């Protein structure tokens, strides 16, 4: 399957690069000028980084614009999509997409502090969650039942961050 990864360059989401490291995917991190062409040329589109219900944000523009928004939905609906950003679930639902996606998930300390009690997590919990999440995707995304296996393998360890995130990982395919 010909896969396109759209992962805007941002050090706070660098851990997500483990998903596509050493894979034969086309990766776009900073030049989004021909995005429609690239989407059309691929079977699967993986979009990851920071986002809102309106789409995947562009950190190269101080988060004042989107890399992916509703303008791309007609192209994306014809592809297998993976949407990994906070509140991607609202984007997917509003645009009637069917794909593997996330809701508001915790990947940083400030998010954990906002959504969990401070005594319910440590930095090690966040690091473990990020590592297991990306390993699960990297190890299973290309399998026939990969999207189901991702969630199953991510849940093998329990900590409060993983527990929180598990209920915000969706596959409505």
């Amino acid at each position: 399957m010909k896969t396109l990864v759209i992962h805007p360059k941002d050090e706070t989401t660098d851990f997500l690069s483990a998903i596509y490291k050493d894979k034969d995917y086309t990766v776009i991190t900073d030049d989004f000028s021909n995005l429609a062409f690239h989407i059309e040329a691929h079977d699967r589109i993986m979009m990851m980084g920071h986002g809102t219900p309106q789409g995947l944000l562009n950190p190269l523009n101080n988060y004042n614009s989107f890399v992916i928004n509703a303008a791309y939905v007609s192209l994306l609906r014809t592809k297998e999509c993976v949407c990994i950003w906070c509140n991607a679930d609202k984007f997917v639902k509003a645009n009637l997409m069917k794909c593997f996606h996330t809701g508001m998930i915790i990947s940083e300390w400030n998010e954990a502090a906002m959504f969990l009690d401070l005594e319910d997590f440590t930095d090690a919990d966040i690091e473990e969650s990020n590592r297991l999440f990306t390993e699960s995707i990297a190890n299973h995304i290309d399998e026939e039942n990969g999207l189901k296996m991702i969630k199953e393998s991510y849940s093998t360890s329990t900590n409060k961050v993983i527990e929180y995130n598990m209920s915000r990982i969706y596959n409505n395919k």
Side-chain angles (χ1 to χ4, degrees), residues 95-120:
N95 292 291
L96 306 173
M97 295 172 63
K98 300 218 179 282
C99 60
F100 178 89
H101 57 285
T102 59
M104 176 57 230
I105 59 171
I106 294 171
S107 64
E108 300 175 325
W109 192 91
N110 61 336
E111 293 166 338
M114 189 180 315
F115 295 103
L116 299 174
D117 291 331
L118 289 176
E119 60 272 358
D120 284 348

PDB file of all heavy atoms in Angstrom, residues 95-120:
ATOM      1  N   ASN A  95     -16.991  15.667   9.228  1.00  0.00           N
ATOM      2  CA  ASN A  95     -16.777  15.483   7.798  1.00  0.00           C
ATOM      3  C   ASN A  95     -17.151  14.088   7.302  1.00  0.00           C
ATOM      4  O   ASN A  95     -16.815  13.721   6.177  1.00  0.00           O
ATOM      5  CB  ASN A  95     -15.323  15.818   7.453  1.00  0.00           C
ATOM      6  CG  ASN A  95     -15.055  17.292   7.622  1.00  0.00           C
ATOM      7  OD1 ASN A  95     -15.561  18.110   6.864  1.00  0.00           O
ATOM      8  ND2 ASN A  95     -14.289  17.648   8.642  1.00  0.00           N
ATOM      9  N   LEU A  96     -17.838  13.332   8.167  1.00  0.00           N
ATOM     10  CA  LEU A  96     -18.360  12.008   7.800  1.00  0.00           C
ATOM     11  C   LEU A  96     -17.290  11.093   7.216  1.00  0.00           C
ATOM     12  O   LEU A  96     -17.511  10.406   6.219  1.00  0.00           O
ATOM     13  CB  LEU A  96     -19.534  12.158   6.826  1.00  0.00           C
ATOM     14  CG  LEU A  96     -20.678  13.066   7.289  1.00  0.00           C
ATOM     15  CD1 LEU A  96     -21.685  13.266   6.169  1.00  0.00           C
ATOM     16  CD2 LEU A  96     -21.335  12.516   8.536  1.00  0.00           C
ATOM     17  N   MET A  97     -16.133  11.084   7.853  1.00  0.00           N
ATOM     18  CA  MET A  97     -15.039  10.232   7.401  1.00  0.00           C
ATOM     19  C   MET A  97     -15.059   8.918   8.173  1.00  0.00           C
ATOM     20  O   MET A  97     -15.550   8.860   9.296  1.00  0.00           O
ATOM     21  CB  MET A  97     -13.701  10.949   7.606  1.00  0.00           C
ATOM     22  CG  MET A  97     -13.550  12.193   6.766  1.00  0.00           C
ATOM     23  SD  MET A  97     -12.071  13.145   7.178  1.00  0.00           S
ATOM     24  CE  MET A  97     -10.766  11.981   6.747  1.00  0.00           C
ATOM     25  N   LYS A  98     -14.517   7.883   7.568  1.00  0.00           N
ATOM     26  CA  LYS A  98     -14.389   6.579   8.204  1.00  0.00           C
ATOM     27  C   LYS A  98     -12.901   6.246   8.232  1.00  0.00           C
ATOM     28  O   LYS A  98     -12.282   6.052   7.186  1.00  0.00           O
ATOM     29  CB  LYS A  98     -15.177   5.532   7.433  1.00  0.00           C
ATOM     30  CG  LYS A  98     -16.658   5.855   7.366  1.00  0.00           C
ATOM     31  CD  LYS A  98     -17.481   4.603   7.494  1.00  0.00           C
ATOM     32  CE  LYS A  98     -18.947   4.900   7.462  1.00  0.00           C
ATOM     33  NZ  LYS A  98     -19.448   5.404   8.709  1.00  0.00           N
ATOM     34  N   CYS A  99     -12.335   6.197   9.455  1.00  0.00           N
ATOM     35  CA  CYS A  99     -10.896   5.965   9.557  1.00  0.00           C
ATOM     36  C   CYS A  99     -10.488   5.689  10.997  1.00  0.00           C
ATOM     37  O   CYS A  99     -11.293   5.794  11.915  1.00  0.00           O
ATOM     38  CB  CYS A  99     -10.137   7.179   9.030  1.00  0.00           C
ATOM     39  SG  CYS A  99     -10.456   8.722   9.895  1.00  0.00           S
ATOM     40  N   PHE A 100      -9.235   5.352  11.174  1.00  0.00           N
ATOM     41  CA  PHE A 100      -8.616   5.255  12.487  1.00  0.00           C
ATOM     42  C   PHE A 100      -8.282   6.678  12.900  1.00  0.00           C
ATOM     43  O   PHE A 100      -7.691   7.432  12.126  1.00  0.00           O
ATOM     44  CB  PHE A 100      -7.341   4.406  12.401  1.00  0.00           C
ATOM     45  CG  PHE A 100      -6.606   4.277  13.706  1.00  0.00           C
ATOM     46  CD1 PHE A 100      -6.906   3.250  14.583  1.00  0.00           C
ATOM     47  CD2 PHE A 100      -5.606   5.173  14.042  1.00  0.00           C
ATOM     48  CE1 PHE A 100      -6.222   3.119  15.788  1.00  0.00           C
ATOM     49  CE2 PHE A 100      -4.924   5.054  15.241  1.00  0.00           C
ATOM     50  CZ  PHE A 100      -5.237   4.023  16.114  1.00  0.00           C
ATOM     51  N   HIS A 101      -8.676   7.080  14.132  1.00  0.00           N
ATOM     52  CA  HIS A 101      -8.422   8.455  14.559  1.00  0.00           C
ATOM     53  C   HIS A 101      -8.404   8.565  16.082  1.00  0.00           C
ATOM     54  O   HIS A 101      -8.792   7.627  16.780  1.00  0.00           O
ATOM     55  CB  HIS A 101      -9.468   9.412  13.964  1.00  0.00           C
ATOM     56  CG  HIS A 101     -10.884   9.064  14.299  1.00  0.00           C
ATOM     57  ND1 HIS A 101     -11.567   8.019  13.714  1.00  0.00           N
ATOM     58  CD2 HIS A 101     -11.749   9.613  15.172  1.00  0.00           C
ATOM     59  CE1 HIS A 101     -12.790   7.954  14.198  1.00  0.00           C
ATOM     60  NE2 HIS A 101     -12.929   8.918  15.096  1.00  0.00           N
ATOM     61  N   THR A 102      -7.958   9.715  16.542  1.00  0.00           N
ATOM     62  CA  THR A 102      -7.866   9.957  17.977  1.00  0.00           C
ATOM     63  C   THR A 102      -8.749  11.130  18.380  1.00  0.00           C
ATOM     64  O   THR A 102      -9.063  12.002  17.574  1.00  0.00           O
ATOM     65  CB  THR A 102      -6.411  10.285  18.392  1.00  0.00           C
ATOM     66  OG1 THR A 102      -5.976  11.446  17.687  1.00  0.00           O
ATOM     67  CG2 THR A 102      -5.486   9.116  18.113  1.00  0.00           C
ATOM     68  N   GLY A 103      -9.094  11.130  19.652  1.00  0.00           N
ATOM     69  CA  GLY A 103      -9.753  12.284  20.251  1.00  0.00           C
ATOM     70  C   GLY A 103      -8.699  13.097  20.976  1.00  0.00           C
ATOM     71  O   GLY A 103      -7.540  13.126  20.577  1.00  0.00           O
ATOM     72  N   MET A 104      -9.083  13.724  22.053  1.00  0.00           N
ATOM     73  CA  MET A 104      -8.140  14.484  22.875  1.00  0.00           C
ATOM     74  C   MET A 104      -7.285  13.481  23.643  1.00  0.00           C
ATOM     75  O   MET A 104      -7.730  12.884  24.618  1.00  0.00           O
ATOM     76  CB  MET A 104      -8.915  15.398  23.827  1.00  0.00           C
ATOM     77  CG  MET A 104      -8.063  16.191  24.813  1.00  0.00           C
ATOM     78  SD  MET A 104      -6.846  17.215  24.035  1.00  0.00           S
ATOM     79  CE  MET A 104      -5.383  16.733  24.963  1.00  0.00           C
ATOM     80  N   ILE A 105      -6.075  13.257  23.159  1.00  0.00           N
ATOM     81  CA  ILE A 105      -5.182  12.308  23.826  1.00  0.00           C
ATOM     82  C   ILE A 105      -4.039  13.065  24.497  1.00  0.00           C
ATOM     83  O   ILE A 105      -3.659  14.151  24.071  1.00  0.00           O
ATOM     84  CB  ILE A 105      -4.636  11.228  22.869  1.00  0.00           C
ATOM     85  CG1 ILE A 105      -3.875  11.847  21.707  1.00  0.00           C
ATOM     86  CG2 ILE A 105      -5.752  10.330  22.376  1.00  0.00           C
ATOM     87  CD1 ILE A 105      -3.144  10.849  20.845  1.00  0.00           C
ATOM     88  N   ILE A 106      -3.512  12.464  25.530  1.00  0.00           N
ATOM     89  CA  ILE A 106      -2.423  13.065  26.300  1.00  0.00           C
ATOM     90  C   ILE A 106      -1.091  12.592  25.734  1.00  0.00           C
ATOM     91  O   ILE A 106      -0.837  11.389  25.630  1.00  0.00           O
ATOM     92  CB  ILE A 106      -2.530  12.667  27.785  1.00  0.00           C
ATOM     93  CG1 ILE A 106      -3.796  13.273  28.395  1.00  0.00           C
ATOM     94  CG2 ILE A 106      -1.281  13.093  28.552  1.00  0.00           C
ATOM     95  CD1 ILE A 106      -4.107  12.761  29.791  1.00  0.00           C
ATOM     96  N   SER A 107      -0.236  13.558  25.377  1.00  0.00           N
ATOM     97  CA  SER A 107       1.117  13.222  24.930  1.00  0.00           C
ATOM     98  C   SER A 107       2.166  14.118  25.598  1.00  0.00           C
ATOM     99  O   SER A 107       3.361  13.921  25.384  1.00  0.00           O
ATOM    100  CB  SER A 107       1.237  13.350  23.412  1.00  0.00           C
ATOM    101  OG  SER A 107       1.046  14.697  23.004  1.00  0.00           O
ATOM    102  N   GLU A 108       1.719  15.090  26.400  1.00  0.00           N
ATOM    103  CA  GLU A 108       2.627  16.028  27.052  1.00  0.00           C
ATOM    104  C   GLU A 108       2.188  16.248  28.496  1.00  0.00           C
ATOM    105  O   GLU A 108       1.021  16.064  28.835  1.00  0.00           O
ATOM    106  CB  GLU A 108       2.603  17.390  26.342  1.00  0.00           C
ATOM    107  CG  GLU A 108       3.006  17.341  24.895  1.00  0.00           C
ATOM    108  CD  GLU A 108       2.848  18.707  24.223  1.00  0.00           C
ATOM    109  OE1 GLU A 108       1.912  19.462  24.558  1.00  0.00           O
ATOM    110  OE2 GLU A 108       3.674  19.006  23.363  1.00  0.00           O
ATOM    111  N   TRP A 109       3.137  16.715  29.312  1.00  0.00           N
ATOM    112  CA  TRP A 109       2.862  16.929  30.719  1.00  0.00           C
ATOM    113  C   TRP A 109       1.711  17.905  30.942  1.00  0.00           C
ATOM    114  O   TRP A 109       0.832  17.660  31.761  1.00  0.00           O
ATOM    115  CB  TRP A 109       4.124  17.437  31.430  1.00  0.00           C
ATOM    116  CG  TRP A 109       3.985  17.405  32.915  1.00  0.00           C
ATOM    117  CD1 TRP A 109       4.338  16.368  33.737  1.00  0.00           C
ATOM    118  CD2 TRP A 109       3.427  18.404  33.764  1.00  0.00           C
ATOM    119  NE1 TRP A 109       4.032  16.685  35.046  1.00  0.00           N
ATOM    120  CE2 TRP A 109       3.469  17.937  35.086  1.00  0.00           C
ATOM    121  CE3 TRP A 109       2.881  19.664  33.528  1.00  0.00           C
ATOM    122  CZ2 TRP A 109       3.009  18.666  36.164  1.00  0.00           C
ATOM    123  CZ3 TRP A 109       2.416  20.399  34.608  1.00  0.00           C
ATOM    124  CH2 TRP A 109       2.489  19.900  35.907  1.00  0.00           C
ATOM    125  N   ASN A 110       1.671  19.024  30.207  1.00  0.00           N
ATOM    126  CA  ASN A 110       0.620  20.022  30.437  1.00  0.00           C
ATOM    127  C   ASN A 110      -0.764  19.464  30.119  1.00  0.00           C
ATOM    128  O   ASN A 110      -1.749  19.816  30.771  1.00  0.00           O
ATOM    129  CB  ASN A 110       0.887  21.314  29.665  1.00  0.00           C
ATOM    130  CG  ASN A 110       0.931  21.122  28.166  1.00  0.00           C
ATOM    131  OD1 ASN A 110       1.197  20.035  27.685  1.00  0.00           O
ATOM    132  ND2 ASN A 110       0.687  22.179  27.425  1.00  0.00           N
ATOM    133  N   GLU A 111      -0.854  18.566  29.139  1.00  0.00           N
ATOM    134  CA  GLU A 111      -2.141  17.924  28.843  1.00  0.00           C
ATOM    135  C   GLU A 111      -2.539  16.981  29.974  1.00  0.00           C
ATOM    136  O   GLU A 111      -3.707  16.949  30.384  1.00  0.00           O
ATOM    137  CB  GLU A 111      -2.056  17.157  27.520  1.00  0.00           C
ATOM    138  CG  GLU A 111      -1.875  18.048  26.322  1.00  0.00           C
ATOM    139  CD  GLU A 111      -1.468  17.302  25.072  1.00  0.00           C
ATOM    140  OE1 GLU A 111      -0.930  16.174  25.160  1.00  0.00           O
ATOM    141  OE2 GLU A 111      -1.680  17.859  23.975  1.00  0.00           O
ATOM    142  N   ALA A 112      -1.584  16.235  30.479  1.00  0.00           N
ATOM    143  CA  ALA A 112      -1.870  15.329  31.591  1.00  0.00           C
ATOM    144  C   ALA A 112      -2.311  16.119  32.823  1.00  0.00           C
ATOM    145  O   ALA A 112      -3.259  15.735  33.504  1.00  0.00           O
ATOM    146  CB  ALA A 112      -0.642  14.471  31.913  1.00  0.00           C
ATOM    147  N   ALA A 113      -1.647  17.232  33.087  1.00  0.00           N
ATOM    148  CA  ALA A 113      -2.017  18.062  34.236  1.00  0.00           C
ATOM    149  C   ALA A 113      -3.422  18.626  34.083  1.00  0.00           C
ATOM    150  O   ALA A 113      -4.143  18.796  35.069  1.00  0.00           O
ATOM    151  CB  ALA A 113      -1.005  19.193  34.405  1.00  0.00           C
ATOM    152  N   MET A 114      -3.832  18.886  32.855  1.00  0.00           N
ATOM    153  CA  MET A 114      -5.155  19.445  32.607  1.00  0.00           C
ATOM    154  C   MET A 114      -6.256  18.391  32.764  1.00  0.00           C
ATOM    155  O   MET A 114      -7.336  18.685  33.261  1.00  0.00           O
ATOM    156  CB  MET A 114      -5.210  20.035  31.185  1.00  0.00           C
ATOM    157  CG  MET A 114      -6.463  20.833  30.895  1.00  0.00           C
ATOM    158  SD  MET A 114      -6.495  21.525  29.208  1.00  0.00           S
ATOM    159  CE  MET A 114      -4.864  22.189  29.011  1.00  0.00           C
ATOM    160  N   PHE A 115      -5.977  17.157  32.343  1.00  0.00           N
ATOM    161  CA  PHE A 115      -7.022  16.139  32.285  1.00  0.00           C
ATOM    162  C   PHE A 115      -6.946  15.063  33.362  1.00  0.00           C
ATOM    163  O   PHE A 115      -7.869  14.274  33.506  1.00  0.00           O
ATOM    164  CB  PHE A 115      -7.042  15.495  30.897  1.00  0.00           C
ATOM    165  CG  PHE A 115      -7.425  16.459  29.819  1.00  0.00           C
ATOM    166  CD1 PHE A 115      -6.463  16.991  28.980  1.00  0.00           C
ATOM    167  CD2 PHE A 115      -8.741  16.868  29.671  1.00  0.00           C
ATOM    168  CE1 PHE A 115      -6.819  17.909  27.988  1.00  0.00           C
ATOM    169  CE2 PHE A 115      -9.106  17.782  28.689  1.00  0.00           C
ATOM    170  CZ  PHE A 115      -8.140  18.303  27.849  1.00  0.00           C
ATOM    171  N   LEU A 116      -5.847  15.002  34.093  1.00  0.00           N
ATOM    172  CA  LEU A 116      -5.698  14.013  35.164  1.00  0.00           C
ATOM    173  C   LEU A 116      -5.336  14.722  36.468  1.00  0.00           C
ATOM    174  O   LEU A 116      -4.815  15.840  36.449  1.00  0.00           O
ATOM    175  CB  LEU A 116      -4.576  13.018  34.816  1.00  0.00           C
ATOM    176  CG  LEU A 116      -4.731  12.173  33.568  1.00  0.00           C
ATOM    177  CD1 LEU A 116      -3.456  11.375  33.320  1.00  0.00           C
ATOM    178  CD2 LEU A 116      -5.916  11.230  33.700  1.00  0.00           C
ATOM    179  N   ASP A 117      -5.551  14.048  37.574  1.00  0.00           N
ATOM    180  CA  ASP A 117      -5.050  14.561  38.849  1.00  0.00           C
ATOM    181  C   ASP A 117      -3.533  14.455  38.836  1.00  0.00           C
ATOM    182  O   ASP A 117      -2.976  13.470  38.334  1.00  0.00           O
ATOM    183  CB  ASP A 117      -5.606  13.744  40.020  1.00  0.00           C
ATOM    184  CG  ASP A 117      -7.099  13.954  40.213  1.00  0.00           C
ATOM    185  OD1 ASP A 117      -7.591  15.054  39.878  1.00  0.00           O
ATOM    186  OD2 ASP A 117      -7.772  13.015  40.687  1.00  0.00           O
ATOM    187  N   LEU A 118      -2.863  15.434  39.403  1.00  0.00           N
ATOM    188  CA  LEU A 118      -1.398  15.454  39.365  1.00  0.00           C
ATOM    189  C   LEU A 118      -0.769  14.211  39.987  1.00  0.00           C
ATOM    190  O   LEU A 118       0.288  13.774  39.556  1.00  0.00           O
ATOM    191  CB  LEU A 118      -0.862  16.712  40.046  1.00  0.00           C
ATOM    192  CG  LEU A 118      -1.095  18.008  39.272  1.00  0.00           C
ATOM    193  CD1 LEU A 118      -0.604  19.204  40.087  1.00  0.00           C
ATOM    194  CD2 LEU A 118      -0.406  17.975  37.928  1.00  0.00           C
ATOM    195  N   GLU A 119      -1.417  13.615  40.967  1.00  0.00           N
ATOM    196  CA  GLU A 119      -0.841  12.421  41.594  1.00  0.00           C
ATOM    197  C   GLU A 119      -1.108  11.152  40.781  1.00  0.00           C
ATOM    198  O   GLU A 119      -0.603  10.089  41.108  1.00  0.00           O
ATOM    199  CB  GLU A 119      -1.351  12.241  43.029  1.00  0.00           C
ATOM    200  CG  GLU A 119      -2.847  12.081  43.161  1.00  0.00           C
ATOM    201  CD  GLU A 119      -3.616  13.398  43.285  1.00  0.00           C
ATOM    202  OE1 GLU A 119      -2.990  14.473  43.317  1.00  0.00           O
ATOM    203  OE2 GLU A 119      -4.840  13.341  43.328  1.00  0.00           O
ATOM    204  N   ASP A 120      -1.878  11.268  39.693  1.00  0.00           N
ATOM    205  CA  ASP A 120      -2.226  10.093  38.887  1.00  0.00           C
ATOM    206  C   ASP A 120      -1.229   9.773  37.773  1.00  0.00           C
ATOM    207  O   ASP A 120      -1.413   8.803  37.055  1.00  0.00           O
ATOM    208  CB  ASP A 120      -3.611  10.264  38.247  1.00  0.00           C
ATOM    209  CG  ASP A 120      -4.734  10.056  39.244  1.00  0.00           C
ATOM    210  OD1 ASP A 120      -4.464   9.554  40.354  1.00  0.00           O
ATOM    211  OD2 ASP A 120      -5.874  10.387  38.915  1.00  0.00           O
TER     212      ASP A 120
END
